[in-house]
Amino acid sequence: MRDFYGVTLSNAMMLGTAGYPSPAVMEAAFRGSGAAVATVSLRREAGEGQGFWSIIRSLGVRILPNTAGCHSAHEAVTTARMARDLFETNWIKLEVIGHADTLQPDPFGLLQAAETLAADGFEVFPYTTEDQVLAQRLIEAGCRVLMPWGAPIGSGMGLMNRQGLRMLRAASPDVPMVIDAGLGLPSHAADAMEMGFDAVLLNSAVSQAGDPAAMARAFALAVQAGELARDADPMGVRDMAVPSTPLLGKAWL
């Protein structure tokens, strides 16, 4: 079971709401995935209106507003406060973008915004990199969850720096972590769960698939498989081959 700011989620999938061909397709994807959390941007809600919001409410999922598209701490803090008023939740997925091409987080603006929002009573889910120094500073600022990227947003590359992510996971084993951004295939999600991460957040990999509902279901199964494999205590990697059939009792001809 996964605990995020005192909320226990029964499903390790979080799903974004942007980029679907239609609201009906988005709804089918959510129902196929069983996702427990929907990320929603303030700008998207303003553009879609009450019809979109009615669908989200009907899904019975937890809302995680985000500050998508913000490029400064001030902009992110302002957006977060507006989102809290609109969505009536202290949860906020904090994004402060620092690079236009990679959409990599701005570590300085991210930390500044996280400190401000945590002091203001927000429960912050910071979109960050696998940098351990930044992760520790975010934890010290009051973030009780981290959302390290797998790869640049929308790239579909999967876990770009597996060793760095392993080290981050090992450095803070008691901090819930969600792999956010860059996953493209269900196998990427299974890989993240096998590595010990607590959840994955998806959007483009599902919304831009030819059949979003089927892809959402595929990711759901992959996440479950990754969790089961992790909990089953996988065998370690070996440098040499080891026969699965013992030599004892072999007939010598």
Side-chain angles (χ1 to χ4, degrees):
M1 304 295 281
R2 289 146 292 276
D3 184 281
F4 299 92
Y5 289 103
V7 175
T8 300
L9 302 177
S10 60
N11 190 299
M13 273 188 66
M14 302 180 179
L15 195 56
T17 57
Y20 293 88
S22 70
V25 172
M26 180 195 71
E27 181 178 5
F30 266 89
R31 297 199 185 282
S33 71
V37 173
T39 59
V40 182
S41 73
L42 183 66
R43 293 185 176 100
R44 179 165 176 77
E45 164 60 15
E48 294 287 351
Q50 288 301 313
F52 168 78
W53 188 225
S54 295
I55 291 175
I56 295 299
R57 282 178 170 169
S58 73
L59 295 171
V61 295
R62 182 113 185 165
I63 302 301
L64 177 60
N66 66 42
T67 62
C70 292
H71 291 261
S72 71
H74 174 73
E75 186 181 9
V77 168
T78 300
T79 301
R81 287 171 173 161
M82 293 172 64
R84 178 164 63 180
D85 291 340
L86 178 62
F87 298 111
E88 300 179 342
T89 177
N90 286 325
W91 278 21
I92 191 72
K93 181 192 170 191
L94 179 61
E95 297 183 27
V96 182
I97 301 302
H99 194 278
D101 292 332
T102 64
L103 302 181
Q104 180 171 329
D106 171 2
F108 308 103
L110 179 66
L111 181 57
Q112 180 184 347
E115 290 172 337
T116 300
L117 292 173
D120 196 24
F122 281 88
E123 295 172 330
V124 183
F125 293 67
Y127 163 61
T128 182
T129 65
E130 68 276 16
D131 185 285
Q132 290 192 48
V133 176
L134 176 57
Q136 186 57 41
R137 295 293 185 272
L138 289 168
I139 293 169
E140 292 169 356
C143 298
R144 289 164 49 195
V145 175
L146 297 177
M147 302 187 82
W149 70 346
I153 294 172
S155 68
M157 291 192 295
L159 304 183
M160 189 171 56
N161 182 1
R162 298 181 78 259
Q163 184 58 31
L165 288 169
R166 285 186 184 279
M167 293 171 65
L168 176 64
R169 176 70 283 182
S172 300
D174 297 326
V175 177
M177 294 189 192
V178 183
I179 292 293
D180 174 26
L183 303 186
L185 295 171
S187 57
H188 298 158
D191 193 12
M193 299 306 296
E194 289 171 4
M195 289 172 62
F197 288 92
D198 299 281
V200 297
L201 195 159
L202 310 162
N203 197 151
S204 299
V206 173
S207 67
Q208 296 180 22
D211 186 338
M215 186 59 76
R217 178 61 178 156
F219 267 101
L221 293 172
V223 167
Q224 184 180 17
E227 284 187 291
L228 290 171
R230 178 195 64 208
D231 294 343
D233 191 15
M235 64 173 284
V237 176
R238 298 162 175 165
D239 292 331
M240 300 290 290
V242 178
S244 57
T245 301
L247 296 178
L248 185 65
K250 176 183 176 181
W252 296 96
L253 303 177

